[in-house]
């Protein structure tokens, strides 16, 4: 099933690719070494992403309409249980709405995400977008099956495709599951997300920028690719680093670097 054939709903917010579909993560060499040395993946807080719509449920210009609809819902519920509304009741309703919006911002800070690119092939665009120093960049290839096996047994995890939408007319389910949606302007990313299930017992103490999660890196990584713009020494250095940290995956040159024949 292609992404365009899937419609998110309350019982299925996102779809998952085939467990053996190739997933790619592009990074700077320093981040690759950090992943190996710590034996962990970094999961960024949704609030730390560059995309300001991360965790959004619509456009700010439509907020008055959202607030009005919420007020009407609260009023109807209040009338069904308590009869006529007073000014004090209205103040309580407004306080509930304020609390609801504050909780959404808090949830944005404590929702952690690790992003992958879904494709059977390398992507020139991803090399350019997600490695600041193109000559010293690395890509790792994995799959949903590998990620699940690599993840700690005591941490639940959700893995699925991002839905690309127009925030001017978002689906209703976005109110409850906003982190499985992004603007259609990012559709080229073909993103699959890995989202750990964090218990909200004490979210005030959770880090606001992100968390590392220890994984079985040998289970996670199927193959390591060096940048198509790299010098020959990077391939050898990457092999040495993998050997030092016990990563058994093959290290190869990017297929994009292959020489053409005219």
């Amino acid at each position: 099933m292609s992404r365009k054939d899937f419609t998110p709903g309350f019982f299925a917010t996102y779809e998952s690719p085939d467990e053996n579909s190739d997933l790619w993560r592009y990074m700077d060499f320093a981040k690759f070494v950090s992943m190996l040395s710590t034996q962990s993946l970094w999961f960024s807080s949704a609030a730390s992403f560059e995309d300001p719509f991360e965790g959004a449920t619509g456009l700010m210009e439509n907020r008055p309409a959202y607030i009005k609809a919420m007020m009407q819902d609260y009023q109807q519920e209040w009338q069904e249980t308590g009869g006529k509304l007073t000014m004090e009741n209205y103040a309580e309703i407004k306080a509930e709405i304020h609390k609801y919006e504050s909780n959404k911002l808090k949830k944005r800070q404590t929702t952690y995400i690790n992003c992958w690119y879904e494709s059977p092939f390398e992507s020139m665009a991803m090399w350019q977008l997600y490695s600041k120093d193109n000559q010293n960049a690395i890509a790792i290839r994995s799959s949903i099956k590998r990620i699940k096996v690599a993840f700690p047994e005591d941490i639940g995890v959700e893995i699925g495709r991002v839905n690309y939408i127009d925030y001017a007319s978002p689906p209703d389910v976005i109110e409850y599951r906003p982190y499985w949606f992004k603007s259609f302007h990012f559709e080229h990313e073909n993103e699959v997300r890995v989202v750990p299930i964090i218990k909200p017992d004490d979210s005030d103490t959770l880090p606001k920028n992100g968390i590392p999660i220890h994984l079985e890196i040998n289970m996670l990584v199927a193959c390591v690719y060096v940048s198509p713009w790299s010098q020959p020494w990077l391939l050898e250095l990457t092999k040495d680093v993998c050997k030092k940290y016990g990563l058994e995956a093959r290290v190869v040159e990017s297929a994009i670097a292959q020489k053409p024949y005219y």
Side-chain angles (χ1 to χ4, degrees):
M1 178 188 292
S2 72
R3 291 172 185 256
K4 295 185 183 300
D5 294 332
F6 177 76
T7 301
F10 288 96
F11 298 104
T13 312
Y14 59 85
E15 64 173 333
S16 294
D18 182 274
E19 287 208 334
N20 294 308
S21 295
D22 289 330
L23 301 180
W24 302 78
R25 186 162 173 81
Y26 296 81
M27 65 191 78
D28 298 331
F29 182 75
K31 289 184 178 180
F32 175 69
V33 175
S34 176
M35 181 190 76
L36 295 185
S37 65
T38 61
Q39 294 288 292
S40 62
L41 270 184
W42 180 258
F43 289 75
S44 297
S45 162
S48 71
F49 282 30
E50 291 183 4
D51 178 11
F53 276 84
E54 196 62 63
T57 55
L59 299 179
M60 178 58 77
E61 64 188 59
N62 293 330
R63 180 176 179 271
Y66 299 146
I67 297 300
K68 182 178 180 180
M70 290 176 68
M71 286 287 289
Q72 290 173 343
D73 289 342
Y74 276 114
Q75 288 172 19
Q76 182 177 353
E77 181 180 347
W78 210 292
Q79 288 172 337
E80 289 175 355
T81 57
K84 188 176 180 180
L85 289 169
T86 66
M87 291 301 294
E88 291 182 356
N89 296 146
Y90 279 109
E92 290 181 39
I93 291 173
K94 288 183 178 180
E96 284 294 320
I97 292 174
H98 176 73
K99 181 180 177 181
Y100 173 74
E101 292 188 317
S102 296
N103 285 339
K104 287 202 297 181
L105 291 175
K106 186 176 180 181
K107 180 67 174 175
R108 187 170 183 260
Q109 290 183 320
T110 55
T111 295
Y112 304 108
I113 302 169
N114 190 266
C115 307
W116 296 73
Y117 173 72
E118 181 189 358
S119 173
F121 312 107
E122 290 177 65
S123 166
M124 177 69 83
M126 293 300 110
W127 277 117
Q128 294 171 328
L129 281 172
Y130 290 99
S131 52
K132 294 179 182 177
D133 182 356
N134 289 334
Q135 290 187 341
N136 298 322
I138 298 292
I140 59 174
R141 177 168 55 81
S142 187
S143 65
I144 287 182
K145 184 176 182 179
R146 281 183 169 273
I147 294 172
K148 287 180 177 178
V149 172
F151 232 77
E153 293 183 359
D154 61 338
I155 299 180
V157 63
E158 292 186 284
I159 309 173
R161 289 171 170 165
V162 167
N163 302 291
Y164 297 101
I165 63 166
D166 180 358
Y167 276 92
S169 54
D172 291 340
V173 71
I174 197 173
E175 194 70 35
Y176 307 96
R177 305 278 280 166
Y179 301 98
W180 295 101
F181 297 87
K182 287 189 75 170
S183 169
F184 54 72
H185 299 111
F186 293 91
E187 195 167 6
H188 62 279
E189 293 182 344
N190 217 30
E191 184 180 334
V192 169
R193 299 198 146 173
V194 182
V195 182
I197 301 172
I198 305 294
K199 295 180 180 179
D201 298 340
D202 196 8
S203 57
D204 288 334
T205 64
L206 290 171
K208 298 298 187 287
N209 61 332
I211 56 172
I213 294 181
H214 183 274
L215 300 181
E216 294 292 337
I217 298 298
N218 264 316
M219 297 291 102
L220 176 73
V221 181
C223 194
V224 180
Y225 297 77
V226 298
S227 166
W229 301 284
S230 67
Q231 298 298 316
W233 58 263
L234 183 62
L235 178 64
E236 298 308 315
L237 178 59
T238 303
K239 289 179 179 179
D240 289 343
V241 168
C242 289
K243 183 177 180 180
K244 175 182 177 180
Y245 291 107
L247 182 63
E248 299 168 359
R250 285 193 312 134
V251 180
V252 299
E253 292 179 308
S254 166
I256 297 172
Q258 293 174 336
K259 304 300 181 187
Y261 169 72
Y262 301 104

